[in-house]
Amino acid sequence: GDGVLDRKVGDRVIVRPIGCGTCMVCEGGTEHLCPHRRAIGLGQVPGGYAEILSVPWRMTIPVPDLVALAYAALADPLATALHAIRQARPLQGKSVLILGAGAIGLSLLLLLKRDGVAPILVSEPNPARGDAARELGADGVFHPKDPGAFEKIRSAAGGPGPAAVFECSGVPEAFQQGLSSVAKTGEVILIGLGAEPFHLPPLLAVLKETRILGSFANTQEECREVLGMIARQEIPLERLTGDRIALAELPGVFAGLLAGSPRTKVIVEIKKFS
């Protein structure tokens, strides 16, 4: 529209949620927690799986010239991973366990590898996703149903268990595994959104003085940061952008994902409009 001066026709952008900009939460730099947050697909703005979408211009973030649009589509999971890492204590020189090798879990793996964190362990029941974690550099991949997984994780983490556990699946059993595996005084960072409640054994958490933290989504500034990392080629994203479909294929892909498909990150290629 005529009132928009910061964007022009033809700009390449990603679209991310915004806060109201005036409440205490927004003024504190955490606009992603704003009670008046506006986001695509969550009630206020229709879903983004369409050839044309109208949004407030402040929801748009320019994509650097050196960043392919398929890579820019990963800004959200990468920024969500970045936000979760910042919720934790400094991780240099510590062992980390990631529960779930979906888009968020693999994004965590890539960013932790970038920061030199090791060892990075992954727990994932799906063989294809486990293979993806190995290809991206995980130091150990374990099946959560393996009777020996607990001891194997503790051994790979150096004995007392991982210092930080990132729960990315939203599955109650995964939370139990993380709480059992984490080292004393360690942290469990909850990222996955699940419908089922978790069971928290107070004795286990208290005796180990475990810190349990929540981490929700990301900020626009974190999205800009990861776009900069992508432009500088600091993160290898080829493995996460190879699965591409046309818009018409999307309903079938969603049905497959709900049925347990091992697909991790699907790029929807939408035809351009002149």
Side-chain angles (χ1 to χ4, degrees):
D2 294 338
V4 178
L5 304 178
D6 296 75
R7 303 286 182 269
K8 64 182 183 300
V9 174
D11 282 356
R12 303 182 322 141
V13 300
I14 60 171
V15 182
R16 299 298 302 129
I18 54 173
C20 68
T22 59
C23 69
M24 292 180 60
V25 172
C26 287
E27 290 179 352
T30 53
E31 83 275 359
H32 64 301
L33 300 178
C34 174
H36 308 292
R37 180 176 183 262
R38 300 188 68 180
I40 292 177
L42 297 177
Q44 295 184 343
V45 182
Y49 293 117
E51 294 90 344
I52 297 175
L53 179 68
S54 176
V55 298
W57 76 267
R58 289 196 306 115
M59 290 182 73
T60 63
I61 300 175
V63 175
D65 291 339
L66 296 176
V67 175
L69 287 178
Y71 287 4
L74 296 172
D76 177 40
L78 285 166
T80 297
L82 178 64
H83 186 77
I85 290 170
R86 288 176 172 169
Q87 296 291 88
R89 299 186 184 111
L91 296 171
Q92 292 290 342
K94 298 179 181 178
S95 55
V96 172
L97 173 63
I98 298 171
L99 304 177
I104 303 297
L106 294 179
S107 294
L108 273 164
L109 173 58
L110 289 171
L111 290 179
L112 291 169
K113 291 284 291 185
R114 168 187 173 273
D115 293 341
V117 175
I120 306 171
L121 313 175
V122 175
S123 176
E124 170 57 53
N126 187 288
R129 291 185 174 189
D131 289 343
R134 290 187 185 89
E135 291 175 24
L136 292 176
D139 297 297
V141 178
F142 308 91
H143 195 295
K145 299 296 185 182
D146 178 356
F150 176 75
E151 289 301 329
K152 291 176 182 177
I153 289 171
R154 287 176 62 89
S155 175
V165 175
F166 292 91
E167 203 300 291
C168 305
S169 70
V171 177
E173 290 81 5
F175 172 69
Q176 297 297 326
Q177 182 188 33
L179 193 61
S180 298
S181 300
V182 71
K184 291 183 177 180
T185 71
E187 299 175 297
V188 178
I189 298 93
L190 305 178
I191 310 167
L193 297 175
E196 297 297 323
F198 289 175
H199 173 62
L200 172 61
L203 185 63
L204 182 58
V206 169
L207 289 178
K208 295 205 293 187
E209 293 194 356
T210 304
R211 298 176 76 228
I212 301 174
L213 309 169
S215 183
F216 174 65
N218 54 71
T219 65
Q220 284 209 351
E221 180 56 34
E222 286 163 340
C223 285
R224 293 187 180 93
E225 288 185 54
V226 297
L227 286 171
M229 295 177 195
I230 297 170
R232 295 187 296 272
Q233 299 184 348
E234 296 175 5
I235 316 170
L237 297 178
E238 296 83 359
R239 179 65 174 76
L240 297 182
T241 57
D243 191 355
R244 306 191 186 196
I245 63 168
L247 182 60
E249 299 176 71
L250 190 58
V253 171
F254 271 130
L257 290 170
L258 290 170
S261 167
R263 300 173 90 156
T264 301
K265 186 63 177 176
V266 180
I267 303 294
V268 183
E269 297 187 311
I270 299 177
K271 64 180 180 180
K272 296 180 180 179
F273 276 73
S274 58

